[in-house]
């Protein structure tokens, strides 16, 4: 999971990862609750051109817009069913803007509403699990908003969602692991490591 404030470059980072995965012949599912798919497709095309990658990689990318939680659930379940018929694939799933779909339920006092958070991270974890002895699980990248100096917008119930967390900071464009002691899935914390990034229309790359 990559988390950060508005305008930090999370979507551009996700698009760059998606373009590189598709360019390496991996199937990619990009689910957005923020941008129109056509706008993201244009940005992906720009990234591919900027990196001199084959535009045919776009054929391996599927972009879906989730307008609400029901849309998101249908997309994830459908992709899971599709993977069952694919052999030797190493898919990438990028979810951008899930915070906006789930945040209305974080303050709910009834489990009838809060179950959506648990369902979401468990469904994404299921995609990441190996699909048999010869089939790899998906790589799942979640792009999440933060509030109040690095606090995850979805709260403590979202803590088990990710096995690794990286913070994308607008101040120095640094990607940091478990900064401020935000726990990874096993409850432990890890020391922060930073990588300076350059974010442009051609995507995201490490500063040299």
């Amino acid at each position: 999971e990559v988390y950060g404030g508005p305008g930090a470059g999370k979507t551009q980072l996700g698009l760059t990862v998606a373009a590189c995965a598709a360019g390496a012949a991996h199937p990619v599912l990009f689910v957005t609750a923020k941008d129109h798919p056509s706008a993201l497709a244009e940005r992906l095309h720009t990234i591919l051109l900027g990196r001199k990658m084959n535009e045919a990689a776009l054929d391996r990318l599927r972009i879906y817009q989730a307008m609400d939680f029901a849309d998101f659930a249908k997309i994830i379940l459908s992709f899971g069913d599709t993977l069952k018929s694919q052999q030797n694939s190493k898919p990438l799933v990028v979810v951008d803007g899930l915070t906006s779909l789930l945040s209305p339920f974080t303050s709910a006092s009834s489990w009838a509403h809060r179950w959506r958070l648990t369902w979401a991270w468990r469904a994404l974890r299921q995609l990441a699990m190996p699909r048999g002895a010869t089939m790899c699980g998906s790589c799942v990248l979640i792009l999440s908003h933060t509030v109040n100096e690095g606090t995850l917008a979805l709260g403590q119930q979202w803590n088990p969602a990710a096995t690794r967390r990286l913070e994308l900071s607008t101040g120095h464009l640094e990607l940091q692991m478990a900064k401020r002691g935000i726990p990874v899935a096993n409850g432990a914390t890890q020391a922060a490591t930073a990588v300076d990034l350059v974010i442009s229309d051609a995507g995201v790359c490490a500063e040299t």
Side-chain angles (χ1 to χ4, degrees):
E1 180 176 23
V2 174
Y3 64 95
K10 298 184 298 295
T11 298
Q12 193 70 350
L13 177 62
L15 290 172
T16 303
V17 175
C20 291
H26 301 299
V28 177
L29 171 67
F30 197 108
V31 184
T32 177
K34 296 171 44 189
D35 305 287
H36 194 277
S38 61
L40 294 181
E42 290 180 7
R43 291 169 66 177
L44 278 166
H45 186 252
T46 300
I47 291 172
L48 289 171
L49 291 178
R51 292 172 173 259
K52 297 180 173 57
M53 298 170 66
N54 194 330
E55 295 178 53
L58 288 173
D59 295 335
R60 290 184 282 272
L61 280 153
R62 296 291 179 269
I63 305 174
Y64 292 92
Q65 187 173 26
M67 302 299 294
D68 52 29
F69 177 79
D71 279 349
F72 168 74
K74 290 176 183 177
I75 293 167
I76 294 301
L77 290 174
S78 176
F79 189 68
D81 291 339
T82 299
L83 291 180
K84 293 177 183 178
S85 62
Q86 295 185 359
Q87 300 288 331
N88 301 320
S89 64
K90 297 179 181 178
L92 169 68
V93 178
V94 181
V95 182
D96 189 16
L98 183 59
T99 304
S100 63
L101 298 182
L102 295 178
S103 56
F105 308 111
T106 57
S107 59
S109 58
S110 170
W111 175 249
H113 295 293
R114 288 186 289 114
W115 66 267
R116 291 172 175 83
L117 278 76
T118 303
W119 185 95
W121 69 255
R122 284 182 175 173
L124 294 172
R125 279 286 189 89
Q126 190 69 30
L127 287 179
M129 294 178 63
R131 295 166 285 133
T134 60
M135 292 185 290
C136 298
S138 302
C139 176
V140 179
L141 172 60
I142 307 169
L143 307 173
S144 300
H145 294 307
T146 55
V147 293
N148 301 326
E149 293 295 318
T151 302
L152 293 174
L154 294 178
Q156 292 185 349
Q157 194 173 347
W158 191 249
N159 276 346
T163 54
R164 293 291 184 272
R165 284 199 166 92
L166 305 170
E167 181 178 16
L168 187 59
S169 169
T170 54
H172 301 286
L173 295 179
E174 293 179 342
L175 202 60
Q176 299 189 324
M177 180 174 292
K179 189 179 178 182
R180 300 186 185 91
I182 291 178
V184 293
N186 61 8
T189 58
Q190 296 186 11
T193 58
V195 178
D196 291 331
L197 300 176
V198 176
I199 299 179
S200 68
D201 289 343
V204 178
C205 62
E207 189 177 63
T208 56

